[in-house]
Amino acid sequence: MPTIALVNGPNLNLLGQREPGMYGARTLQQIIEGIQQAFPDHHFPHFQSNHEGELVDAIQRFGAESKGIVINPAAYGHTSVALRDAIAAVRVPVIEVHLSNIYAREGFRHTSITGGACAGVISGFGEEGYHMAVGHLLFHH
Ligand code: CA2
């Protein structure tokens, strides 16, 4: 069964509890269940962490085990050379997703360090962005 790994970065464990106007009202668990329901014939191992090194480990592990990776690096996308290097080192395609439109927000969010190492970046489409990324990896790669 084709496997697409889902990786989510810091504070995304708080989804659904605060800031629904910015990030939607659904929890991360609900978002993952929605992906599984939309693509029932595929397998979606998931990892969320607030710790940069754990995210590096997850990218390396999933890079060896899956057909592709969808990552929302959250704030680390704007800061982390380590995550970018991990993404660049894996052989499978990685797509970066942001729930909000990072270009419509503060200037420090306009740069994605990680995005340049990804096959593409989707920003501003909320939960649907994860579905767009998964669909692309499954059907266009
Ligand atoms: O829009 C996105 O998906 C972001 O990756 C979310 C990050 C932010 O730093 C990026 O610039 C854009 C923040 C995630 C924080 O998530 C929360 C969820 C609920 C309550 C508070 C924070």
Side-chain angles (χ1 to χ4, degrees):
M1 186 186 284
T3 291
I4 301 291
L6 309 173
V7 177
N8 284 282
N11 297 306
L12 290 166
N13 56 309
L14 299 176
L15 283 176
Q17 298 174 33
R18 271 175 274 148
E19 301 210 50
M22 183 64 73
Y23 300 123
R26 297 203 346 132
T27 65
L28 188 55
Q29 190 58 38
Q30 288 171 327
I31 290 174
I32 291 159
E33 285 169 11
I35 293 167
Q36 188 63 72
Q37 283 165 8
F39 302 94
D41 298 332
H42 301 88
H43 180 50
F44 299 98
H46 171 246
F47 182 77
Q48 188 277 329
S49 178
N50 297 325
H51 303 276
E52 190 174 10
E54 289 186 356
L55 293 163
V56 170
D57 290 343
I59 291 164
Q60 291 183 5
R61 189 172 67 250
F62 286 137
E65 294 172 358
S66 58
K67 179 182 158 73
I69 299 173
V70 175
I71 185 168
N72 184 343
Y76 287 144
H78 311 302
T79 64
S80 178
V81 176
L83 280 189
R84 181 190 171 113
D85 289 347
I87 292 167
V90 295
R91 291 208 175 87
V92 299
V94 180
I95 296 184
E96 176 166 320
V97 170
H98 294 282
L99 292 159
S100 62
N101 179 355
I102 58 174
Y103 302 102
R105 302 184 63 189
E106 304 97 321
F108 62 83
R109 297 185 202 274
H110 294 184
T111 301
S112 173
I113 289 179
T114 46
C118 292
V121 179
I122 296 167
S123 181
F125 294 92
E127 181 175 350
E128 189 191 348
Y130 288 90
H131 291 240
M132 293 160 73
V134 166
H136 185 82
L137 288 174
L138 286 177
F139 305 125
H140 300 286
H141 251 282

